[in-house]
Amino acid sequence: MHLRKMTETDLQQVLELQQELAFQDWNEKQFLSEIRANYAYCVVCEDEESLLGYAIFHLMGPDSELLSIATRESEQRKGIGSQLLHAGLDKLQEPDDQCFLEVRNGNVKARAFYEKHGFHLYNVRKNYYSDGEDAALYRFSRESR
Ligand SMILES: CC(C)(COP(=O)(O)OP(=O)(O)OC[C@H]1O[C@@H](n2cnc3c(N)ncnc32)[C@H](O)[C@@H]1OP(=O)(O)O)[C@@H](O)C(=O)NCCC(=O)NCCS
């Protein structure tokens, strides 16, 4: 199992994984523009057979953002998400560099995952998602780690 940068040839498997987990509904064009954007860091985890997970960050100086992270259902809770997350967080260089993210309030698994990795809840945005669910906003900083 290893990590590497996402390429356009991964798109099919990334879309399948997103569909399998049903946590987001980005289309091919959206993933493609992330892969091509120079401020985006898109990483996948794979074994010899298939793609096991991916993460997409925007690395933008002091304020970075985690846009998406996912691990194949059958491979969850084996540390893959943590490896993907740290691939991005390790790129925060300065002490006051931060990483932000938003997550559905009811996404208990992901919230536990982020909190385990030192993200702190700093706000809740009411009715943020189209179905009316609130968004929990988290921040990570190297200093408050
Ligand atoms: C969030 C996610 C990426 C974590 O990936 P992962 O590969 O399972 O992560 P790891 O194995 O590195 O970390 C596991 C940690 O996540 C949290 N976690 C994972 N599954 C959990 C569950 N069912 N219940 C509670 N906490 C859970 C725990 O903190 C756990 O640590 P522990 O095993 O020591 O208790 C994965 O659950 C996922 O793909 N979810 C669906 C997509 C999603 O919701 N993405 C985030 C949208 S913003």
Side-chain angles (χ1 to χ4, degrees):
M1 190 197 304
H2 68 279
L3 301 193
R4 62 165 172 78
K5 274 195 168 181
M6 187 188 292
T7 68
E8 293 181 22
T9 56
D10 297 315
L11 271 176
Q12 196 52 44
Q13 287 200 76
V14 167
L15 284 162
E16 279 167 20
L17 176 50
Q18 180 194 234
Q19 200 175 0
E20 173 192 313
L21 295 169
F23 73 106
Q24 203 178 35
D25 60 351
W26 286 16
N27 59 35
E28 187 170 337
K29 229 172 149 186
Q30 285 169 291
F31 281 110
L32 207 50
S33 72
E34 296 298 339
I35 291 170
R36 291 174 178 170
N38 56 13
Y39 52 81
Y41 176 56
C42 306
V43 57
V44 298
C45 178
E46 67 179 0
D47 64 10
E48 308 72 44
E49 282 160 25
S50 63
L51 191 132
L52 308 177
Y54 72 85
I56 297 177
F57 297 85
H58 283 178
L59 300 175
M60 299 192 290
D63 294 338
S64 292
E65 191 179 353
L66 171 61
L67 283 92
S68 186
I69 186 163
T71 300
R72 195 171 290 287
E73 186 96 55
S74 59
E75 302 299 323
Q76 288 181 7
R77 248 170 161 169
K78 296 180 183 174
I80 293 172
S82 302
Q83 287 189 47
L84 290 164
L85 184 65
H86 280 286
L89 295 183
D90 287 353
K91 295 198 180 290
L92 307 187
Q93 296 294 327
E94 303 302 325
D96 54 354
D97 281 357
Q98 301 181 97
C99 182
F100 295 87
L101 65 84
E102 67 211 20
V103 57
R104 282 181 176 270
N105 211 39
N107 191 343
V108 178
K109 270 204 277 196
R111 293 185 61 172
F113 172 74
Y114 296 135
E115 287 168 16
K116 179 181 173 182
H117 290 285
F119 279 81
H120 297 283
L121 180 70
Y122 71 94
N123 203 358
V124 173
R125 206 164 277 159
K126 291 278 169 202
N127 300 315
Y128 181 75
Y129 295 98
S130 54
D131 60 4
E133 186 166 356
D134 299 342
L137 308 187
Y138 280 89
R139 174 172 49 214
F140 170 92
S141 76
R142 289 171 55 85
E143 267 185 339
S144 65
R145 214 168 178 172

